[in-house]
Structure formats: structure tokens, C-alpha cells
Amino acid sequence: MKVYINKNAYEKLKKRFVWVYKNEIQKAPSCDPGSIVDVYYKDKFVAVGFYNPLSKISIRVLSFEKTTIDREFFKNIILKAVYRRTRTLNHRIKLNQSITNSYRVIHSEADFLPGLIVDKYGDNLILSITTAGMENYKGVIVEILIEVLKPKGIYEKGDKIREKEGLEVIDRLLYGEVDDEFIIEENNKKFLTHLKEGQKTGFFLDQRKNRKTVSYFGGKKTLDLFANAGGFGIYANAKYTKFVEISELACSLIEKNCELNGLGNYEIVKADVFKFLESEKETYDLIIIDPPAFAKTKSARKGAIKGWKYLIVNSLKLLEKGGYLALFSCSHSITSKDLLDLALSSSVIDNSYLEVIEFLKQDIDHPYMINIPNSLYLTGVLLRKH
């Protein structure tokens, strides 16, 4: 089957962009969501990919070469993804930079497998499929993962984004047995996580390197905002750490993780971070702001900018001179430039100066491909206050 695209889409695909939007399609056959199609511009073959007429992102490229999409195709790509992880993580170990029993094996488009995410927790695999095309090949994908990685179990976690592809949101065991609880070991730290509960596993593997980097600047007092499972605060290992998190489940995890890592003097505050900052009077020499995605779409950007400004201004009031402020955005709509602009305008209000110490992004098992701008979804900056 052939789908014909307009010139705008063709120019982007020439630069190896991997999406074609619905309004860029000139002619398409009537077919089921997730069908394999050859993409053409006029009479020129451009790519092969999944086609879903129900989705705003109608085509997701699998290859820019004419190729047969079958079991062998997927196995070769999965083998390459596994090899890249093994190679890079082993290189880290040789440099004594990272030791972990948990990492991302497959990262969707950035591994040339659009809509497939696979995380490895010891012998457990957590799989998420978000495109109709990949859903059609789920059985084949599971077979290959069993053959290549030999897990004791594979569990599928549903994601609401599936609804945009006309798919049902489901959580279920696909193979073997998967641990309900698992202890992630990372750079001599330990973190308890629930593999089957909620949308995520309760711990963000993509922040692994950033947790270690920021920890070098932990001192007397650390404030970990939107603390989730307590990763940043535990890494900082300060003389006193305050965790702020609104989720009761997350607060429970923080407590257990503090005990697992022998953290001594700490406090867990179950509260909305915005309301917490209204009344907090203590000062700190390291503050981490790592909120959930405020702007999942461009339309939500304005509100996200306003929220970020409030967080930074009020955190700077609590940050001592010479102290460090770590900012993280997990939304592609809020960039590192946005964070710097917000930090600058906030420092003017605070009558302080901010120095950039580090630019930060997701760790290497969550690849950022420069032909796919959206694959850089986690950006951060570490600042020092003068």
C-alpha cells in the first residue's frame, strides 16, 4: 500500500524526521490502523512506516530504505538496541561512573521502534506500547524479547496516549512472573519500586546520571521538591533533607528508601509544593525542582511558564548565597532556554545572580536523536546563587 505526502512532509523526512501529520497526507488507501505502508512523494519512494488514519501523527517511519517489515526486521533492531545499552552501560562501569541493575532497553522512535518502550528491572521487563502499528506486532515483539533477553516475566503497562491511536488502555501480565516490588540498585543506592502499580513504576531511570551529578553539590540542608521516590534528596546525603511530595504512595516510598539507604536526619512533608512554598521559612544550600510535565501540549505552555516562574522565585528566597538550584523539565514544550530565561527573570526579582554549573538531560539509555527533536524530552540546568 502507498501513501502520498506533500512537499512539507517530504522536506522533513529528507532530514530523517520520523513523523508525518494527518494534514501532510495527500492520498492514502483505506486500511486498518497500524497498517504497513510505503511513503511516497510524487513518484519517489521516501520511507516505510506504520499508518494510522485515526491519529494526528498518521505515519511513523520504521525505515528510510525499502525493506520488508517482518519478524527478522524487528529482531535485528531489538538486538541493536540491546547492544547499544550493553556497550554504553559497560563503558560507564569501566569509568566507575554508573552501576545499575535497571535501565531502558528500548526507547520508541529513538531506537527506530515507534511506540515501543521496554524497561529492564533485573530479570523483569516492563513493556509499554502506544501505537496501533506496534500493537499489531505485540506477539512478535514479546517472542523476540523472550528470546533475546530471557526475562522471568514481561508486564504491560497501559498509557492513556493509546486512546489517541484508537487503542484500549490495559495493564496485564504478558509472560511468566513479574515481581510486585523490586529494589533498584544504582550507584550504591537502593530504591524500592512497585513494578505493576500506577502508570509508571514510581522511579525515573532517566534521571540516573543527574541524581549523581547534583549529589556532588549537596551540603548541610537539601530541599527536594516534587520528590517522587526521594532519589535526588537521598543521593545528596545532606546533614538534613526535606522531601515535599503530594502523593501518599510516594511519601511511603520515600520513607522506605530513606531507611534502605541509611539516611539519618530527614523530614517528609505531604503537601502541594506551591502551597508549601507559601509558608516555608527555612533556608537551604541545595534545592531540586523536578515537577511532573506542566505542558504536555503547546497549548498548556503559557500556564506552565507561569507555574515555573512561581516555583523558581519562591525557591530562590529559600536558597542561601553560594547554594545550588537544580531545575528539570520533562516536557518538550519547556526547553532549557525557557528554564534559563525564567531563572534570569526570577534572579532579578530576588536581587541575586545565577551561574550555570551544568546543563543536564536524560541519561544515555534514553537516547536523544538529533533528527527527532522530541526525543530530547528531559532537560535541566544546575545553577549556583551569588
Side-chain angles (χ1 to χ4, degrees), residues 3 5 32 56 59 64 69 116 130 202 246 283 292-293 304 310 333-334 364:
V3 173
I5 60 175
D32 293 332
K56 181 181 176 183
I59 295 175
F64 289 98
I69 306 303
L116 177 63
T130 59
I246 196 169
T283 58
Y310 179 89
S333 299
I334 304 296
I364 53 176

Side-chain angles (χ1 to χ4, degrees), residues 98-125:
S98 176
I99 298 174
T100 183
N101 64 353
S102 304
Y103 55 92
R104 178 152 293 183
V105 180
I106 296 169
H107 189 52
S108 198
E109 278 88 349
D111 277 304
F112 313 102
L113 291 163
L116 177 63
I117 292 173
V118 180
D119 290 329
K120 188 175 188 296
Y121 296 86
D123 294 327
N124 305 280
L125 293 183

Side-chain angles (χ1 to χ4, degrees), residues 113-350:
L113 291 163
L116 177 63
I117 292 173
V118 180
D119 290 329
K120 188 175 188 296
Y121 296 86
D123 294 327
N124 305 280
L125 293 183
I126 306 300
L127 175 148
S128 177
I129 286 177
T130 59
T131 60
M134 204 58 73
E135 180 74 16
N136 292 341
Y137 285 90
K138 184 191 293 183
V140 171
I141 297 296
V142 169
E143 284 179 9
I144 296 168
L145 290 172
I146 294 168
E147 180 184 340
V148 172
L149 294 170
K150 298 177 173 53
K152 71 176 182 181
I154 302 175
Y155 193 84
E156 179 178 9
K157 300 296 288 287
D159 192 308
K160 286 205 73 176
I161 200 170
R162 285 171 59 90
E163 294 175 348
K164 294 183 178 181
E165 291 269 322
L167 301 173
E168 183 185 357
V169 179
I170 49 174
D171 284 18
R172 63 178 177 181
L173 185 69
L174 296 177
Y175 166 75
E177 292 295 330
V178 169
D179 296 327
D180 291 318
E181 293 186 342
F182 181 80
I183 294 179
I184 296 168
E185 296 178 7
E186 178 185 294
N187 297 318
N188 298 316
K189 306 291 183 186
K190 293 182 179 180
F191 299 97
L192 177 69
T193 190
H194 300 283
L195 295 181
K196 298 177 184 177
E197 288 183 21
Q199 248 189 324
K200 307 276 184 187
T201 56
F203 199 73
F204 296 105
L205 302 177
D206 51 6
Q207 288 278 30
R208 182 190 308 109
K209 185 179 180 183
N210 298 333
R211 282 188 281 270
K212 188 169 185 179
T213 299
V214 171
S215 74
Y216 296 141
F217 302 92
K220 296 177 184 177
K221 293 173 70 178
T222 292
L223 177 62
D224 188 352
L225 301 174
F226 304 98
N228 190 251
F232 279 104
I234 289 169
Y235 259 81
N237 198 27
K239 292 181 180 177
Y240 169 76
T241 303
K242 184 176 287 186
F243 301 91
V244 184
E245 172 57 56
I246 196 169
S247 161
E248 190 168 337
L249 175 61
C251 286
S252 172
L253 273 176
I254 294 169
E255 184 73 54
K256 291 173 182 176
N257 288 333
C258 286
E259 292 173 6
L260 272 174
N261 292 280
L263 202 69
N265 193 13
Y266 65 90
E267 181 182 353
I268 301 168
V269 179
K270 183 183 178 299
D272 177 274
V273 169
F274 290 88
K275 291 182 180 178
F276 166 83
L277 289 172
E278 286 178 7
S279 57
E280 178 67 355
K281 302 298 181 187
E282 289 192 60
T283 58
Y284 303 85
D285 54 8
L286 172 61
I287 299 177
I288 301 103
I289 307 178
D290 182 22
F294 287 158
K296 292 185 177 180
T297 61
K298 287 184 179 179
S299 60
R301 176 180 158 79
K302 186 176 179 181
I305 292 289
K306 185 178 178 182
W308 263 110
K309 184 69 173 285
Y310 179 89
L311 291 171
I312 298 173
V313 167
N314 286 280
S315 293
L316 283 174
K317 292 176 183 177
L318 306 178
L319 187 64
E320 297 195 8
K321 287 284 179 75
Y324 296 88
L325 178 66
L327 310 175
F328 294 98
S329 167
C330 59
S331 167
H332 182 71
S333 299
I334 304 296
T335 65
S336 56
K337 184 182 183 303
D338 291 324
L339 293 180
L340 288 177
D341 289 343
L342 286 161
L344 174 58
S345 59
S346 300
S347 68
V348 172
I349 295 171
D350 186 58

